[in-house]
Amino acid sequence: MTRKLRMGMIGGGIGSFIGDVHRKAAAIDGMIDLVCGAFSSDAEKSKQSGKALFLNDDRCYTDFKEMILTEKQLPEDKRMDFVAIVTPNHMHFEPAKMALENGFHVVCDKPMTLTLDEALELEAILKRTGKLFALTHNYTGHPMVKQAKALITNGDLGKIRKIQVQYLQGWLSTSVEKTGQKQASWRIDPKRSGIGGALGDIGTHAENLVEYITGLKIDEIAADLGVFGEDRVLDDDGNLLLRMENGAKGTMSISQIALGEENNLAIKVYGEKGSLEWHQENPNQLITHWLENPVKVFTPNGNDLYPEAINVSRIPAGHPEGYLEAFATIYKNFATHLMAVKNNKTIENPDYPTVNDGVRGMQFIYAAVASNQDNSTWTKIK
């Protein structure tokens, strides 16, 4: 291709945290331009948001249906190539379905849908339409996460035996939703969040990180979920035991009421020949221990990195890369794949989360809720 990809956005209007993150991440590698949007369910707010982003008035739409149908009628050299969906969970499925069925590729925030049935239907639509779909499990975009995955894929750690993962936050330690805090209000509401609270918001990140790094599926879980916030009905805390498909054992701890924690996502993986650990709050270090060699700490642009890590390290060694850059990696790899498709080329095993990861995330949520309701009984993820 001789041009940038054109992106439309659904959601992410004035005051949105995640919409701004998506826009910045999409722009980092210079492959994507935002050209249109339906930024709010409030028509006037949507128009104001588009104006604030310096979009042409005729590309600022009152709702996503108008945007998709109007963009479809535009000449091919003007209309959007794909849409980014950055709404609360209950507003993922309908616009994704409509976009795909009208010929547009999709990038969607996680969890993929409100319900498992929606996730399975979306998977079927992707198979039917042949369009591309990226799910923004952004933490898989870190160079040191890529390095961790490559170490395991290439057998450096040997057979995996044990996994520990945690995702701890403290921002829901008090009833902030009762103060009108927008991010909290929809996340504690089953009608907008789904059957999982912390499970859907951060648990799916932990689940995806485990399966991405190890290349192993979680086979069974035993979940003990907690609801500590006053008048809440969805989980805001949980501890889970994991059984992996290769026989490895694991633990997962998630919480949004862990007072003092900010965004403490961390994973440790133990194999027969070595182990590794990675902490999201210190993302540029991957610490490894070896049966017969000294401790080794990998850093972006350091020595002995696999190509998967080198390819997403953007800046010189010693300069920190973080949240936005990891998010940008999802967009970069998706954009690279989409450009290849438009040039009638094939990319084997494109490296970004897809609809399959979205289905796994919803299956994880449903299995955890079912296990918790049955006194933490071992439950298959299926």
Side-chain angles (χ1 to χ4, degrees):
M1 289 182 68
T2 58
R3 63 169 177 84
K4 294 183 181 182
L5 292 171
R6 296 183 287 266
M7 179 176 77
M9 180 167 281
I10 298 172
I14 295 171
S16 165
F17 160 70
I18 202 64
D20 193 44
V21 167
H22 275 258
R23 288 188 289 270
K24 289 174 179 175
I28 280 178
D29 291 295
M31 303 171 73
I32 298 167
D33 279 334
L34 177 69
V35 299
C36 65
F39 299 102
S40 173
S41 56
D42 181 311
E44 182 57 31
K45 185 176 179 180
S46 180
K47 290 283 189 180
Q48 291 175 356
S49 298
K51 191 173 183 178
L53 293 167
F54 305 103
L55 296 180
N56 293 333
D57 288 344
D58 63 347
R59 306 294 288 278
C60 302
Y61 299 101
T62 57
D63 60 54
F64 73 85
K65 294 178 181 179
E66 179 193 27
M67 183 180 87
I68 292 170
L69 294 177
T70 303
E71 289 289 317
K72 184 180 180 180
Q73 299 304 315
L74 293 178
E76 189 173 353
D77 64 352
K78 186 177 180 182
R79 64 173 175 254
M80 66 182 181
D81 296 299
F82 73 95
V83 62
I85 301 171
V86 297
T87 57
N89 303 355
H90 72 296
M91 283 298 295
H92 288 178
F93 174 72
E94 191 176 355
K97 178 178 185 293
M98 186 175 182
L100 292 167
E101 292 181 336
N102 281 275
F104 296 107
H105 308 274
V106 172
V107 174
C108 185
D109 214 16
K110 44 56 56 191
M112 186 167 71
T113 52
L114 186 71
T115 69
L116 178 55
D117 285 343
E118 287 179 348
L120 294 172
E121 184 175 348
L122 207 56
E123 184 180 45
I125 293 169
L126 263 296
K127 290 179 181 178
R128 186 173 73 248
T129 62
K131 297 300 175 184
L132 303 188
F133 185 97
L135 192 69
T136 51
H137 277 299
N138 54 290
Y139 299 110
T140 64
H142 282 285
M144 291 303 92
V145 170
K146 302 290 188 190
Q147 177 70 4
K149 178 179 177 62
L151 286 170
I152 293 173
T153 300
N154 288 283
D156 295 12
L157 267 63
K159 183 179 179 181
I160 302 306
R161 293 170 164 175
K162 183 178 180 64
I163 300 159
Q164 291 181 313
V165 64
Q166 66 181 41
Y167 201 155
L168 306 176
Q169 299 175 335
W171 71 290
L172 291 180
S173 294
T174 60
S175 299
V176 291
E177 64 270 22
K178 295 183 178 181
T179 68
Q181 214 266 29
K182 184 178 179 181
Q183 296 299 322
S185 296
W186 74 260
R187 281 178 168 83
I188 58 94
D189 180 3
K191 293 180 180 179
R192 291 182 285 173
S193 185
I195 67 171
L199 271 174
D201 194 23
I202 58 177
T204 52
H205 273 309
E207 168 267 328
N208 181 258
L209 194 66
V210 166
E211 294 196 345
Y212 180 78
I213 286 179
T214 66
L216 300 170
K217 293 287 190 291
I218 302 170
D219 184 39
E220 291 182 288
I221 56 177
D224 180 20
L225 306 179
V227 183
F228 290 95
E230 184 180 0
D231 298 327
R232 289 181 191 153
V233 295
L234 295 179
D235 62 278
D236 51 22
D237 184 81
N239 297 292
L240 300 86
L241 297 177
L242 314 176
R243 288 174 177 166
M244 308 301 292
E245 62 181 348
N246 76 330
K249 308 296 184 182
T251 61
M252 178 186 297
S253 181
I254 60 171
S255 184
Q256 293 181 313
I257 52 87
L259 185 64
E261 298 287 0
E262 294 182 345
N263 202 54
N264 190 354
L265 170 62
I267 186 169
K268 297 181 180 181
V269 181
Y270 301 88
E272 291 178 327
K273 298 188 293 183
S275 66
L276 61 81
E277 63 177 287
W278 179 80
H279 300 260
Q280 189 277 151
E281 292 182 334
N282 188 16
N284 294 317
Q285 288 192 347
L286 176 67
I287 303 168
T288 61
H289 295 79
W290 305 96
L291 188 63
E292 298 178 348
N293 292 302
V295 173
K296 183 167 186 175
V297 180
F298 293 95
T299 60
N301 286 307
N303 296 323
D304 300 326
L305 293 183
Y306 280 104
E308 294 88 338
I310 295 172
N311 291 341
V312 295
S313 298
R314 294 175 176 83
I315 52 182
H319 294 76
E321 296 187 56
Y323 180 75
L324 286 175
E325 289 85 356
F327 225 111
T329 296
I330 306 297
Y331 272 98
K332 177 183 179 181
N333 290 351
F334 170 80
T336 300
H337 190 195
L338 181 49
M339 285 179 171
V341 168
K342 287 182 172 292
N343 287 328
N344 297 313
K345 296 180 180 179
T346 300
I347 292 182
E348 297 294 334
N349 302 315
D351 188 9
Y352 59 86
T354 69
V355 68
N356 299 322
D357 298 279
V359 170
R360 287 291 298 174
M362 294 307 300
Q363 290 170 330
F364 164 77
I365 293 169
Y366 273 65
V369 170
S371 172
N372 180 70
Q373 290 174 342
D374 195 22
N375 197 31
S376 305
T377 300
W378 282 104
T379 303
K380 290 273 189 180
I381 296 183
K382 58 182 179 180

